Amino acid sequence: MTITGMITSIMIEADVIERVAEEAEVEPDQVERVLETWRTLSGERRFGDLIERLMPERLEVPTPAVVLQARRNAEARTALLGEFGALRSAEVAELAGSRAANRAALANRWRAENRVVAVPVGDELLYPGFQFTPEGRPDPAVGAALAILRSRPGVSDWQAALWFVGANGWLGGRRPVDLLDEDPGAVEAAA
C-alpha cells in the first residue's frame, strides 16, 4: 500500500470512528478500544471482550440494603406529605395572612430562623403542614425541637421533618408530631 493509500485509510477510519461514536452516543476513544479488541480476538471471546470494553471502567452498584433503605425513606417521605400535606411558600404567606409583595419572604425567614422546616421535592421547597398553628404561625414546639435537631452536624431538612413523624423511644414510642399541643416540653426534651 502506498503512503497516500495508508493516509487515506487512516482518515477513513477516523471518520468512521467519529460517526460510530456519535451514533452510539459514546466517546471516540471507546470506539477505538472496541475496534482494537475486535481486531485482535475472534468468536465468542471477541463478543465478550467487546461487551467488557463498552462497560464503564468503574461500575458502582448499590447494595440491596442501600436500595431497601432508599425505598423505605421514599415511602416515609410520601407518607409524611400524604398525612400532613405541604405548603409552598406563597401558601404559607396566605395562611398567615401576610400582605407582603414577596410571597416567599415570610416562609423563607421562618425557615432561616429555624422556626419551620422545608423539604425539597422536585425543584421546589415544601413546608409540611404539621408545623403550623391554625392561625398559620409556626408551632413554637416545632421551632424549639428544630433548633436542637439542627445543632447536630449533618441533619438534613428531610431528616428533621421525618424525626417529627417517627416513633420515638423518649416519648414511649409515640410520635413527636402527636405531642406538639399536648406536651411540647417532652418533644423538646426528646429532640
Side-chain angles (χ1 to χ4, degrees):
M1 179 180 277
T2 66
I3 292 184
T4 305
M6 288 173 52
I7 292 172
T8 303
S9 176
I10 291 170
M11 290 173 57
I12 290 172
E13 185 175 302
D15 288 342
V16 169
I17 288 171
E18 286 292 325
R19 192 180 69 229
V20 168
E22 185 178 314
E23 287 178 18
E25 298 179 2
V26 297
E27 294 298 318
D29 66 316
Q30 288 179 295
V31 175
E32 289 174 11
R33 288 189 331 209
V34 167
L35 188 56
E36 178 184 317
T37 301
W38 196 256
R39 287 180 179 149
T40 60
L41 301 173
S42 63
E44 193 171 316
R45 182 159 178 239
R46 176 188 254 188
F47 188 67
D49 280 2
L50 177 61
I51 292 169
E52 289 296 320
R53 294 281 180 144
L54 289 173
M55 289 185 68
E57 288 183 30
R58 180 172 238 170
L59 182 63
E60 294 185 28
V61 178
T63 65
V66 169
V67 173
L68 178 62
Q69 183 59 39
R71 188 188 73 195
R72 287 179 179 161
N73 197 279
E75 289 170 355
R77 291 176 180 193
T78 302
L80 182 150
L81 296 175
E83 182 177 358
F84 298 102
L87 305 167
R88 290 172 178 79
S89 55
E91 294 168 326
V92 170
E94 185 177 321
L95 181 66
S98 172
R99 293 191 176 104
N102 180 350
R103 303 304 285 161
L106 182 64
N108 288 335
R109 180 170 52 89
W110 285 346
R111 182 173 181 244
E113 295 170 349
N114 274 334
R115 295 175 67 190
V116 296
V117 64
V119 293
V121 177
D123 60 351
E124 63 184 341
L125 288 176
L126 298 179
Y127 296 81
F130 70 81
Q131 57 194 338
F132 298 100
T133 66
E135 297 78 33
R137 300 284 182 223
D139 187 314
V142 170
L146 276 175
I148 295 165
L149 293 172
R150 292 267 172 80
S151 70
R152 298 183 187 119
V155 174
S156 73
D157 293 328
W158 270 114
Q159 288 170 327
L162 289 170
W163 178 85
F164 284 96
V165 298
N168 190 301
W170 290 95
L171 301 172
R174 295 180 70 188
R175 304 181 315 168
V177 71
D178 298 327
L179 297 173
L180 290 174
D181 294 331
E182 180 184 320
D183 196 353
V187 172
E188 185 177 350

